[in-house]
Amino acid sequence: MTGSLKKLFKLIEVLMAMLLLGMFTLVFFNVILRYFFNSGITWSEEMARYFFFWLTFIGAIGAMHDNAHLGLDTIIRRLSPRVQKAVYLAGQVLIVVIMVFLANGSLELTILNVNAKASATDLPLGFIYGTGILTSVCIIIIAFANIYKALFVEGSMRSLIQLSESEEILPPADRDGKGG
């Protein structure tokens, strides 16, 4: 199952790259058309906005999986390992609660706008709001997996908390800006 999960998250990375490329392409060509030809593609602005929206929500899934969301570790560093685990578990439970709210709100918006269409692209708005449901469910699953690891997998807290500063991630030659 781990191999299939790696493939799934690789697919998410490819999807994010395609969304970013699509967003860049639409905005770039629309700027060129407006600047040089005094015209534009009417739906490109709306699609670029939707691509950005999807990129943000799908990126949140990938960041949760990679444990790459921003965190404040100044206090956690000073705690004992047992208290670190308790704080981490409380944070994961809080994430689950917030994602339940997001899923509920997204579901209500999706149902409310099931027949509504976007103005320029004519896409169903339920498709746009449904992204929140997908994101929240995926993040809830990842949070439960993290809770399981923290409780039952010995030595997993070190990788789950990832206490490192941005400068600590860089190789020593890059810290002073001289590169390698």
Side-chain angles (χ1 to χ4, degrees), residues 71-79 84 161 163-165:
L72 181 63
D73 62 354
T74 309
I75 298 170
I76 292 178
R77 283 186 202 191
R78 298 175 184 183
L79 301 175
Q84 282 182 354
I161 292 180
L163 298 176
S164 62
E165 303 264 341

Side-chain angles (χ1 to χ4, degrees), residues 64 92 96 139-149:
M64 181 71 178
Q92 293 299 305
V96 169
I139 289 178
I140 287 170
I141 292 169
I142 294 169
F144 277 129
N146 288 343
I147 290 170
Y148 176 83
K149 286 178 199 171

Side-chain angles (χ1 to χ4, degrees), residues 87-103:
V87 169
Y88 179 79
L89 290 172
Q92 293 299 305
V93 169
L94 185 61
I95 288 171
V96 169
V97 169
I98 291 170
M99 289 299 111
V100 167
F101 286 131
L102 177 65

Side-chain angles (χ1 to χ4, degrees), residues 36-172:
F36 291 110
F37 303 106
N38 201 23
S39 70
I41 307 169
T42 54
W43 53 267
S44 71
E45 206 173 304
E46 190 172 285
M47 278 311 296
R49 192 175 322 123
Y50 292 154
F51 284 176
F52 181 68
F53 179 79
W54 291 324
L55 180 68
T56 304
F57 274 68
I58 293 170
I61 298 170
M64 181 71 178
H65 175 260
D66 294 341
N67 203 15
H69 281 287
L70 291 176
L72 181 63
D73 62 354
T74 309
I75 298 170
I76 292 178
R77 283 186 202 191
R78 298 175 184 183
L79 301 175
S80 69
R82 192 175 202 146
V83 177
Q84 282 182 354
K85 184 184 269 190
V87 169
Y88 179 79
L89 290 172
Q92 293 299 305
V93 169
L94 185 61
I95 288 171
V96 169
V97 169
I98 291 170
M99 289 299 111
V100 167
F101 286 131
L102 177 65
N104 186 40
S106 296
L107 180 62
E108 288 178 13
L109 276 173
T110 303
I111 292 170
L112 186 64
N113 292 293
V114 74
N115 294 322
K117 304 274 185 186
S119 57
T121 59
D122 214 28
L123 283 172
L125 290 179
F127 182 63
I128 306 301
Y129 296 125
T131 309
I133 299 169
L134 171 71
T135 300
S136 57
V137 168
C138 289
I139 289 178
I140 287 170
I141 292 169
I142 294 169
F144 277 129
N146 288 343
I147 290 170
Y148 176 83
K149 286 178 199 171
L151 290 175
F152 301 111
V153 177
E154 193 67 34
S156 64
M157 284 307 297
R158 183 173 176 84
S159 66
L160 288 173
I161 292 180
Q162 288 186 351
L163 298 176
S164 62
E165 303 264 341
S166 59
E167 289 182 2
E168 293 173 10
I169 296 171
L170 294 174

